[in-house]
Coordinates of all heavy atoms in Angstrom, one line a residue:
D25 N -14.1 -38.3 -45.8 CA -12.7 -38.3 -45.5 C -12.4 -38.0 -44.1 O -11.3 -38.3 -43.6 CB -12.0 -37.2 -46.4 CG -12.0 -37.7 -47.9 OD1 -12.2 -38.8 -48.2 OD2 -11.8 -36.7 -48.7
G26 N -13.3 -37.4 -43.4 CA -13.1 -37.0 -42.0 C -13.6 -38.0 -41.0 O -13.5 -37.8 -39.7
L27 N -14.1 -39.2 -41.4 CA -14.7 -40.1 -40.5 C -13.6 -40.8 -39.6 O -12.5 -41.0 -40.1 CB -15.5 -41.2 -41.3 CG -16.8 -40.8 -41.9 CD1 -17.4 -41.9 -42.7 CD2 -17.8 -40.3 -40.9
D28 N -14.0 -41.1 -38.4 CA -13.0 -41.8 -37.5 C -13.8 -43.0 -36.9 O -14.8 -42.7 -36.2 CB -12.6 -40.8 -36.4 CG -11.5 -41.4 -35.6 OD1 -10.8 -42.4 -36.1 OD2 -11.3 -41.0 -34.4
P29 N -13.4 -44.1 -37.1 CA -12.2 -44.5 -37.9 C -12.4 -44.3 -39.4 O -13.5 -44.2 -39.9 CB -12.1 -46.1 -37.6 CG -13.5 -46.5 -37.4 CD -14.1 -45.3 -36.7
P30 N -11.3 -44.1 -40.1 CA -11.3 -43.8 -41.5 C -12.0 -44.9 -42.3 O -11.9 -46.1 -42.0 CB -9.9 -43.5 -41.9 CG -9.1 -43.7 -40.7 CD -9.9 -44.2 -39.6
L31 N -12.6 -44.5 -43.4 CA -13.1 -45.6 -44.4 C -11.9 -46.3 -45.0 O -10.9 -45.7 -45.3 CB -14.0 -44.9 -45.5 CG -15.3 -44.2 -45.0 CD1 -15.9 -43.5 -46.1 CD2 -16.2 -45.3 -44.4
P32 N -12.2 -47.5 -45.4 CA -11.1 -48.3 -46.1 C -10.9 -47.7 -47.5 O -9.8 -47.9 -48.1 CB -11.6 -49.7 -46.1 CG -13.0 -49.6 -45.9 CD -13.3 -48.4 -45.1
G33 N -11.8 -47.0 -48.1 CA -11.7 -46.4 -49.4 C -13.1 -46.4 -50.0 O -14.1 -46.9 -49.5
Y34 N -13.2 -45.6 -51.1 CA -14.5 -45.5 -51.8 C -14.2 -45.1 -53.2 O -13.1 -44.6 -53.6 CB -15.5 -44.6 -51.1 CG -15.0 -43.1 -50.9 CD1 -15.2 -42.2 -51.9 CD2 -14.4 -42.8 -49.7 CE1 -14.8 -40.9 -51.6 CE2 -14.0 -41.5 -49.5 CZ -14.2 -40.5 -50.5 OH -13.8 -39.3 -50.2
T35 N -15.2 -45.2 -54.1 CA -15.1 -44.8 -55.5 C -16.2 -43.7 -55.7 O -17.3 -43.9 -55.2 CB -15.4 -46.0 -56.4 OG1 -14.4 -47.0 -56.1 CG2 -15.3 -45.6 -57.9
S36 N -15.9 -42.7 -56.5 CA -16.9 -41.7 -56.7 C -16.8 -41.3 -58.2 O -15.8 -41.5 -58.9 CB -16.5 -40.4 -55.9 OG -15.3 -39.9 -56.2
H37 N -18.0 -40.9 -58.7 CA -18.1 -40.5 -60.1 C -19.3 -39.5 -60.3 O -20.3 -39.6 -59.5 CB -18.1 -41.7 -61.0 CG -19.2 -42.7 -60.7 ND1 -20.5 -42.6 -61.2 CD2 -19.1 -43.8 -59.9 CE1 -21.2 -43.7 -60.8 NE2 -20.4 -44.4 -60.0
D38 N -19.2 -38.8 -61.4 CA -20.3 -37.8 -61.7 C -21.3 -38.6 -62.6 O -20.9 -39.5 -63.3 CB -19.7 -36.6 -62.5 CG -18.9 -35.7 -61.6 OD1 -19.1 -35.7 -60.4 OD2 -18.0 -35.1 -62.2
G39 N -22.5 -38.1 -62.7 CA -23.5 -38.7 -63.6 C -24.6 -37.8 -63.7 O -24.6 -36.6 -63.3
L40 N -25.7 -38.3 -64.4 CA -26.9 -37.6 -64.6 C -28.0 -38.4 -64.0 O -28.1 -39.6 -64.3 CB -27.2 -37.3 -66.1 CG -26.2 -36.4 -66.8 CD1 -26.5 -36.4 -68.3 CD2 -26.3 -35.0 -66.2
G41 N -28.8 -37.8 -63.2 CA -30.0 -38.4 -62.6 C -31.3 -38.1 -63.3 O -31.5 -36.9 -63.7
R42 N -32.1 -39.0 -63.6 CA -33.4 -38.8 -64.2 C -34.5 -39.4 -63.4 O -34.2 -40.4 -62.7 CB -33.4 -39.5 -65.6 CG -32.4 -39.0 -66.5 CD -32.4 -39.7 -67.9 NE -31.3 -39.3 -68.7 CZ -31.4 -38.2 -69.5 NH1 -32.4 -37.5 -69.6 NH2 -30.3 -37.8 -70.2
G43 N -35.6 -38.8 -63.3 CA -36.7 -39.3 -62.6 C -37.8 -38.3 -62.4 O -37.7 -37.2 -62.9
S44 N -38.8 -38.7 -61.6 CA -39.9 -37.8 -61.4 C -39.7 -36.7 -60.4 O -40.4 -35.7 -60.5 CB -41.1 -38.6 -61.0 OG -40.8 -39.3 -59.7
S45 N -38.7 -36.8 -59.5 CA -38.4 -35.8 -58.5 C -37.3 -34.9 -59.0 O -36.1 -35.3 -58.8 CB -38.1 -36.4 -57.2 OG -37.9 -35.4 -56.2
M46 N -37.6 -33.8 -59.5 CA -36.6 -32.8 -60.0 C -36.7 -31.5 -59.2 O -36.3 -30.5 -59.7 CB -36.7 -32.6 -61.5 CG -36.5 -33.8 -62.4 SD -34.8 -34.2 -62.6 CE -34.3 -32.9 -63.8
D47 N -37.1 -31.6 -57.9 CA -37.3 -30.4 -57.2 C -36.1 -29.5 -57.0 O -36.2 -28.2 -57.1 CB -37.8 -30.7 -55.7 CG -39.1 -31.5 -55.7 OD1 -39.7 -31.6 -56.8 OD2 -39.5 -31.9 -54.6
L48 N -34.9 -30.1 -56.9 CA -33.7 -29.3 -56.7 C -32.9 -29.0 -57.9 O -31.9 -28.4 -57.9 CB -32.8 -30.0 -55.7 CG -33.4 -30.2 -54.3 CD1 -32.4 -31.0 -53.4 CD2 -33.7 -28.9 -53.6
A49 N -33.5 -29.4 -59.1 CA -32.8 -29.3 -60.4 C -32.9 -27.8 -60.8 O -33.8 -27.1 -60.5 CB -33.4 -30.1 -61.4
S50 N -31.8 -27.3 -61.5 CA -31.8 -26.0 -62.0 C -32.8 -26.0 -63.2 O -33.3 -27.0 -63.7 CB -30.4 -25.6 -62.5 OG -30.1 -26.4 -63.7
T51 N -33.1 -24.8 -63.7 CA -34.0 -24.6 -64.8 C -33.4 -25.4 -66.1 O -34.1 -26.1 -66.8 CB -34.2 -23.1 -65.2 OG1 -34.7 -22.5 -64.1 CG2 -35.1 -23.0 -66.4
A52 N -32.1 -25.2 -66.3 CA -31.5 -25.9 -67.4 C -31.6 -27.4 -67.3 O -31.8 -28.1 -68.3 CB -30.0 -25.5 -67.6
E53 N -31.4 -27.9 -66.1 CA -31.5 -29.4 -65.8 C -33.0 -29.9 -66.0 O -33.2 -30.9 -66.6 CB -31.1 -29.7 -64.4 CG -29.5 -29.6 -64.2 CD -29.1 -29.7 -62.8 OE1 -29.9 -29.4 -61.9 OE2 -27.9 -30.1 -62.5
K54 N -33.9 -29.0 -65.6 CA -35.3 -29.4 -65.8 C -35.6 -29.5 -67.3 O -36.4 -30.4 -67.8 CB -36.2 -28.4 -65.1 CG -36.2 -28.6 -63.6 CD -37.1 -27.6 -62.9 CE -37.0 -27.7 -61.4 NZ -37.8 -26.7 -60.7
V55 N -35.1 -28.6 -68.1 CA -35.4 -28.6 -69.6 C -34.7 -29.8 -70.1 O -35.3 -30.5 -71.0 CB -34.8 -27.2 -70.2 CG1 -34.8 -27.4 -71.7 CG2 -35.7 -26.0 -69.8
K56 N -33.5 -30.1 -69.7 CA -32.8 -31.2 -70.2 C -33.4 -32.5 -69.8 O -33.2 -33.6 -70.4 CB -31.3 -31.1 -69.8 CG -30.4 -32.2 -70.4 CD -29.0 -31.9 -69.9 CE -28.0 -33.0 -70.6 NZ -26.7 -32.7 -70.2
G57 N -34.0 -32.5 -68.6 CA -34.7 -33.7 -68.1 C -33.7 -34.6 -67.3 O -34.0 -35.7 -67.0
A58 N -32.6 -34.0 -66.9 CA -31.6 -34.7 -66.1 C -30.9 -33.8 -65.2 O -30.6 -32.6 -65.5 CB -30.6 -35.4 -67.0
M59 N -30.6 -34.2 -64.0 CA -30.0 -33.4 -62.9 C -28.5 -33.9 -62.7 O -28.3 -35.2 -62.8 CB -30.7 -33.6 -61.6 CG -30.3 -32.7 -60.5 SD -31.5 -32.9 -59.2 CE -30.5 -32.6 -57.8
K60 N -27.6 -33.0 -62.6 CA -26.2 -33.4 -62.3 C -26.1 -34.0 -60.9 O -26.6 -33.4 -59.9 CB -25.3 -32.2 -62.4 CG -25.2 -31.6 -63.8 CD -24.3 -30.4 -63.8 CE -24.3 -29.8 -65.2 NZ -23.5 -28.5 -65.2
I61 N -25.6 -35.2 -60.9 CA -25.5 -36.0 -59.6 C -24.1 -36.4 -59.4 O -23.2 -36.4 -60.2 CB -26.4 -37.2 -59.6 CG1 -26.1 -38.2 -60.7 CG2 -27.9 -36.8 -59.6 CD1 -26.6 -39.6 -60.5
F62 N -23.9 -36.9 -58.2 CA -22.6 -37.4 -57.7 C -22.8 -38.7 -57.0 O -23.7 -38.8 -56.2 CB -21.9 -36.4 -56.8 CG -20.5 -36.7 -56.4 CD1 -19.5 -36.6 -57.3 CD2 -20.3 -37.2 -55.1 CE1 -18.2 -37.0 -56.9 CE2 -19.0 -37.5 -54.8 CZ -17.9 -37.4 -55.7
T63 N -22.1 -39.7 -57.4 CA -22.3 -41.1 -56.8 C -21.0 -41.5 -56.0 O -19.9 -41.3 -56.5 CB -22.7 -42.1 -57.8 OG1 -23.9 -41.7 -58.5 CG2 -22.9 -43.5 -57.3

Side-chain angles (χ1 to χ4, degrees):
D25 290 342
L27 291 175
D28 187 25
L31 293 173
Y34 58 88
T35 301
S36 60
H37 53 91
D38 294 333
L40 294 173
R42 299 177 185 275
S44 60
S45 180
M46 297 281 286
D47 298 353
L48 298 179
S50 68
T51 302
E53 290 170 332
K54 287 178 183 177
V55 169
K56 186 176 183 177
M59 186 173 151
K60 293 177 183 176
I61 60 160
F62 186 73
T63 302

